[in-house]
Amino acid sequence: TIALLATGDEIVIGDTLNTNSQQLAHALHSEGLILRYQLACSDNEAEIVNALQFLAKHHDIIIVTGGLGPTSDDRTRFAVAQFMGVSLQEYTQATTHIQKRLHNAQLSMTENNRQQALFPPESILLENPFGTAMGCRTQWQNKLLFLLPGPPRECLPMFNSQVLPFLAHSQHSNTVL
């Protein structure tokens, strides 16, 4: 079964409507994929870890949205690493992607931007044609985790083009995730 976790203080306090989870849930259901839980938590790293631990007890697939940006409150990748008990690695593919996006916007790379290139070991990166934050697919103890950026203009196209087809193919071909 699948669970969704949306991270972000702005969602929890009601400043931002969580349209990502609504759109993802609808798309998953339309494909016949079983979604059992939606959860939102703040940007607090410990709360993200707790949410992941809770969801991992009963779900095979966890899709996390938000917290992959360059700001100090973007803690999702660090919480996922803590949850998995691994150290994050910098991926050259992600660094190159960030540098190109920033160059096109006539901006310089900062250490905050560089954190966006960090992912759990053996992750498969997900392309983001609309922003600097790439996503990823990673496995942990027979669980599959997807990390997607929070802005809907980035999250939804990535989900529709890379995550949903992967899950639908896996479901319909009965392949092991």
Side-chain angles (χ1 to χ4, degrees):
T1 60
I2 302 171
L4 300 178
L5 172 60
T7 67
D9 294 341
E10 67 281 3
I11 290 171
V12 173
I13 63 172
D15 281 349
T16 299
L17 185 61
N18 185 4
T19 56
N20 286 339
S21 290
Q22 184 270 331
Q23 293 285 325
L24 272 57
H26 181 75
L28 291 165
H29 179 75
S30 295
E31 274 297 323
L33 298 163
I34 301 169
L35 175 66
R36 291 284 185 229
Y37 219 93
Q38 292 188 41
L39 187 62
C41 71
S42 75
D43 290 312
N44 180 283
E45 201 169 314
E47 290 178 19
I48 299 169
V49 171
N50 289 338
L52 289 167
Q53 290 169 340
F54 172 77
L55 294 172
K57 288 179 184 174
H58 304 288
H59 300 88
D60 304 309
I61 300 165
I62 303 170
I63 302 170
V64 184
T65 60
L68 299 182
T71 63
S72 61
D73 66 340
D74 288 316
R75 305 305 301 166
T76 297
R77 70 183 73 252
F78 302 102
V80 167
Q82 184 180 340
F83 164 73
M84 295 173 66
V86 299
S87 295
L88 295 173
Q89 296 178 349
E90 185 170 336
Y91 280 67
T92 305
Q93 176 187 354
T95 304
T96 301
H97 170 81
I98 296 162
Q99 289 170 331
K100 284 181 184 177
R101 296 284 307 177
L102 292 173
H103 176 76
N104 290 342
Q106 299 180 346
L107 298 170
S108 300
M109 182 92 150
T110 66
E111 280 308 306
N112 286 354
N113 294 121
R114 189 170 296 283
Q115 83 178 11
Q116 294 179 287
L118 302 174
F119 293 95
E122 301 180 33
S123 291
I124 295 171
L125 299 186
L126 304 176
E127 294 291 329
N128 181 354
F130 302 107
T132 55
M134 295 182 79
C136 81
R137 179 178 83 221
T138 192
Q139 286 194 269
W140 174 81
Q141 295 186 1
N142 298 320
K143 307 291 180 182
L144 188 60
L145 285 84
F146 291 91
L147 307 182
L148 297 170
R153 68 180 182 80
E154 299 176 37
C155 176
L156 299 175
M158 291 172 69
F159 175 80
N160 289 325
S161 68
Q162 298 171 77
V163 178
L164 188 59
F166 177 85
L167 293 174
H169 175 75
S170 298
Q171 157 91 17
H172 300 307
S173 67
N174 293 321
T175 57
V176 176
L177 302 174

